[in-house]
Amino acid sequence: MKIFNTLAMFGILLTTGAGAQTTLKDACKNDFLIGAALNESEFTGQNSNAVAIIKTQFNTISPENVLKWESVHPRSGEFDFTAADRYVEFGEKNKMFIIGHNLIWHNQTPRWVFQDDQGNPLGRDALLARMREHIFTVVGRYKGKINGWDVVNEAVNEDGTLRESQWKKIIGEDYLLKAYQFAQEADPAAELYYNDFSLENLPKQNGAIALVKKLQAQGVPVAAVGLQGHYKMDWPTTNQVDETITAFSKLGIKVMITELDMDLLPAPTRNQGAEVAMNFALQAKLNPYTNGLPDAVQQKLAQRYADLFSVFVQHRDSISRVTFWGVTDADSWLNNWPVKGRTAYPLLFGRDYKPKSTFAAVIGVVHQ
Ligand code: XIL
């Protein structure tokens, strides 16, 4: 952190021998893969400024929305892979480590999934059959192309118990085991992940640890846990992040930071989580930086990124990947969550497609 302060103070630009600016993927190459979640305008090439950043800076990609159930399987018996195919092609063409996000979740999953043709709740066997068909079709299509899958997303409550999702209600606790078994069968070579937010909070962390241990005891080769990393300026502490990474790596699995961003806007609620269903009314006091971020705040943000990446680097043997949830501040979901229409500043690249001081902060601590 001292190094970062010195660099920032003198405004030093980190350069390679050739004079070009150091890239994230070069700077992180001895530590972990570094990536971003992409939206459709990015992997189709339409947003060429963003594409330039993605190709230069990142070596792994995640699909922000196009592989979710509602996108690839909107109606019973009907799959639509138009966008997902383009996402995977983009990753292959650029030789990137391609993530699949996600197979089983309680959000962005259409209601019909849990109902029969008459709209009545489905029974266990019928829902299991539907789950199997979905996983076999989606994972099977990208077998050997998508390198790792978020098989189940967000199955644990804040208190560590299992979330009462429709999956759990209808199938029972073993919906988790079934999902992982189907994914493994559909592509035995793909890495299988468990992904969730707020795993830095102890009760939830303990619930997720119990979940992973149970899957391991049942013979599921869980490759890694994903800490989503939807962080605030004061939560979690670097100590909490440090201890969380240690706790999961003790299970013999890798740790990934899968959806990193930093929310510095005023919180409309005390809830630290990332429940996508939250939606609060826009008020001026919740949106203070519509004309840019004051220098003092920008510096705090850069320092926060430096502090976090110092922890990640210390754990480089346990961490396989760090992925940002978006490329530039303009395309971050935090402009619309948990309040629609705000101006957010959570990432390393600005609305002008230029690296921000958060970029220099990260490079400063990872570059050995
Ligand atoms: C978000 C997307 O960024 C939004 O575009 C979408 O409207 C809602 O979902 N946790 C996850 C991600 O696992 O899939 C969510 O992505 C953010 C929280």
Side-chain angles (χ1 to χ4, degrees):
M1 275 148 280
K2 252 204 202 118
I3 301 174
F4 166 64
N5 281 337
T6 317
L7 288 171
M9 227 161 27
F10 295 107
I12 292 172
L13 253 193
L14 286 154
T15 55
T16 63
Q21 203 167 26
T22 306
T23 67
L24 286 170
K25 66 182 177 194
D26 272 353
C28 296
K29 70 172 185 289
N30 297 322
D31 300 328
F32 28 70
L33 294 175
I34 188 98
L38 308 190
N39 62 37
E40 217 165 326
S41 77
E42 290 163 342
F43 58 74
T44 58
Q46 203 186 318
N47 184 346
S48 53
N49 289 324
V51 171
I53 295 177
I54 297 159
K55 288 186 182 173
T56 323
Q57 304 291 340
F58 300 114
N59 48 27
T60 173
I61 54 171
S62 299
E64 186 178 4
N65 286 303
V66 298
L67 269 164
K68 291 173 181 172
W69 192 306
E70 67 178 11
S71 305
V72 292
H73 196 173
R75 278 165 292 277
S76 182
E78 197 179 314
F79 288 86
D80 180 357
F81 291 110
T82 322
D85 283 356
R86 299 287 301 271
Y87 162 75
V88 174
E89 268 165 37
F90 180 91
E92 286 194 294
K93 214 164 126 199
N94 294 295
K95 302 191 168 44
M96 290 165 159
F97 190 87
I98 306 174
I99 300 299
H101 172 85
N102 57 58
L103 295 171
I104 298 297
W105 193 21
H106 60 282
N107 278 313
Q108 294 181 276
T109 305
R111 205 167 305 164
W112 66 260
V113 174
F114 308 104
Q115 299 173 345
D116 66 15
D117 292 346
Q118 277 78 49
N120 299 315
L122 226 51
R124 169 182 159 93
D125 290 347
L127 187 56
L128 274 174
R130 203 161 262 182
M131 177 197 258
R132 185 179 189 280
E133 182 206 22
H134 179 81
I135 294 180
F136 268 70
T137 308
V138 180
V139 176
R141 184 177 185 90
Y142 302 115
K143 188 175 171 180
K145 296 181 175 181
I146 286 190
N147 305 90
W149 279 99
D150 288 337
V151 178
V152 178
N153 199 33
E154 304 177 353
V156 180
N157 289 316
E158 203 52 37
D159 67 1
T161 57
L162 276 189
R163 187 188 285 273
E164 277 301 312
S165 65
Q166 297 280 40
W167 296 110
K168 158 112 180 347
K169 270 192 206 144
I170 298 175
I171 298 175
E173 250 190 75
D174 66 340
Y175 87 87
L176 286 140
L177 173 63
K178 295 290 183 188
Y180 285 87
Q181 284 176 336
F182 293 150
Q184 193 192 1
E185 225 186 301
D187 185 355
E191 293 185 350
L192 308 182
Y193 311 133
Y194 176 69
N195 192 53
D196 212 331
F197 60 83
S198 297
L199 294 177
E200 297 77 6
N201 294 344
L202 263 189
K204 187 160 181 176
Q205 182 181 121
N206 288 332
I209 287 175
L211 186 157
V212 171
K213 277 189 173 162
K214 187 161 181 191
L215 287 170
Q216 288 175 325
Q218 288 166 323
V220 174
V222 178
V225 66
L227 313 180
Q228 288 187 3
H230 293 297
Y231 292 154
K232 320 280 179 210
M233 292 298 279
D234 56 359
W235 174 88
T237 64
T238 45
N239 268 346
Q240 281 177 297
V241 175
D242 175 62
E243 286 166 15
T244 304
I245 297 167
T246 302
F248 282 105
S249 56
K250 279 190 184 146
L251 303 176
I253 59 176
K254 290 284 183 192
V255 177
M256 313 171 300
I257 317 299
T258 53
E259 307 184 10
L260 185 59
D261 50 23
M262 196 65 60
D263 184 4
L264 54 70
L265 295 177
T269 163
R270 288 178 56 194
N271 188 317
Q272 299 156 330
E275 296 284 354
V276 301
M278 284 203 286
N279 183 8
F280 298 90
L282 178 63
Q283 307 167 51
K285 67 169 187 203
L286 295 177
N287 192 22
Y289 307 124
T290 49
N291 294 319
L293 207 54
D295 269 0
V297 184
Q298 180 60 48
Q299 269 174 38
K300 273 197 197 138
L301 178 65
Q303 188 63 56
R304 174 78 167 136
Y305 262 114
D307 294 349
L308 270 176
F309 270 81
S310 305
V311 177
F312 299 160
V313 169
Q314 280 163 28
H315 287 280
R316 57 200 257 188
D317 292 340
S318 312
I319 296 183
S320 54
R321 162 169 76 93
V322 177
T323 297
F324 294 91
W325 205 244
V327 179
T328 74
D329 287 345
D331 52 57
S332 165
W333 75 306
L334 293 176
N335 293 298
N336 291 303
W337 181 92
V339 178
K340 286 205 176 70
R342 295 201 291 181
T343 309
Y345 299 85
L347 298 167
L348 304 195
F349 297 89
R351 289 174 169 74
D352 56 2
Y353 299 96
K354 297 212 171 86
K356 307 194 303 181
S357 58
T358 46
F359 175 89
V362 169
I363 298 270
V365 294
V366 296
H367 202 46
Q368 302 294 317

